Amino acid sequence: MSGTLVVGVSGSPSDPSRTTTLVGATVERLAAELPDAETVTVEIGPLLADLGAATDREHMSERTRAALAAVEAADVLVVGSPAFRAAYSGAFKLFFDWIGQYDLVDTPVLLTATGGSDRHALLVEHQMRPLFGFFQSTTLPLAVFGNERDFTKRVGGYDIASVDLELRIDQAVRRALPIIRGGFVAAGVDDVRRPADF
């Protein structure tokens, strides 16, 4: 596969953010395995004013429209959210509310999340997989969850400080690669069956 566009999406409204660090590290690890990969990482926090106030995409800034278009054009997505009330953040949901319903069909999606304790890890299975099931995406077999203790704070951001988390990223990527390389190609919009067809 050449010219693969790998797009990361961090659903954290905070800056700096552990979630952004985890998404970025996963995107980097995945891109290293794909020839000629191009990467884009979208941070949702700075886009929230647009996403929440606009009535349509034409009234959004160019930056916000470009972020949405990058996700819709992705060959592979790496998405992440902090745990908020045992679910993904409202910012994460708001962003994906603006994504075209049929634009992620068959797109491979590697799920990641962060939380204060391991009790939040199931948010990936119980909240995030169903969301991308709605989009008819191909959610990849292993998700990556990072606990607060997996990160260290530095000036201007966070670093991954856990060998276990690095190994989880590596394992998730290795399990994802055969599926990504297998050539899942999104069907054209005209080939997608809509609810009225059933």
Side-chain angles (χ1 to χ4, degrees), residues 42-57 59-61 64-65 67-68 90-99:
V42 173
E43 295 184 50
I44 294 174
L47 311 178
L48 283 175
D50 254 0
L51 295 168
T55 55
D56 57 57
R57 281 166 71 154
H59 289 89
M60 294 179 179
S61 69
T64 302
R65 292 198 305 270
L68 293 166
F92 185 84
K93 179 61 165 62
L94 182 58
F95 181 84
F96 280 98
D97 281 347
W98 284 102
I99 294 294

Side-chain angles (χ1 to χ4, degrees), residues 96 99-102 105 128-137:
F96 280 98
I99 294 294
Q101 181 174 349
Y102 300 104
V105 172
M128 297 176 81
R129 280 197 201 277
L131 175 62
F132 290 97
F134 164 81
F135 284 112
Q136 302 176 54
S137 304

Side-chain angles (χ1 to χ4, degrees), residues 81-178:
S81 175
F84 275 53
R85 304 294 190 267
Y88 42 68
S89 69
F92 185 84
K93 179 61 165 62
L94 182 58
F95 181 84
F96 280 98
D97 281 347
W98 284 102
I99 294 294
Q101 181 174 349
Y102 300 104
D103 288 325
L104 301 183
V105 172
D106 288 342
T107 302
V109 182
L110 200 160
L111 306 172
T112 74
T114 58
S117 77
D118 290 337
R119 290 175 297 176
H120 293 120
L122 284 176
L123 116 81
V124 178
E125 304 301 330
H126 290 277
Q127 304 289 329
M128 297 176 81
R129 280 197 201 277
L131 175 62
F132 290 97
F134 164 81
F135 284 112
Q136 302 176 54
S137 304
T138 301
T139 52
L140 295 165
L142 292 182
V144 182
F145 178 80
N147 194 306
E148 280 187 7
R149 65 176 177 269
D150 292 323
F151 301 88
T152 54
K153 195 166 185 358
R154 58 171 168 78
V155 175
Y158 291 92
D159 292 315
I160 293 176
S162 162
V163 173
D164 285 344
L165 181 54
E166 295 280 7
L167 290 173
R168 290 198 294 275
I169 293 170
D170 186 68
Q171 185 180 30
V173 167
R174 284 189 289 107
R175 288 286 300 279
L177 286 171

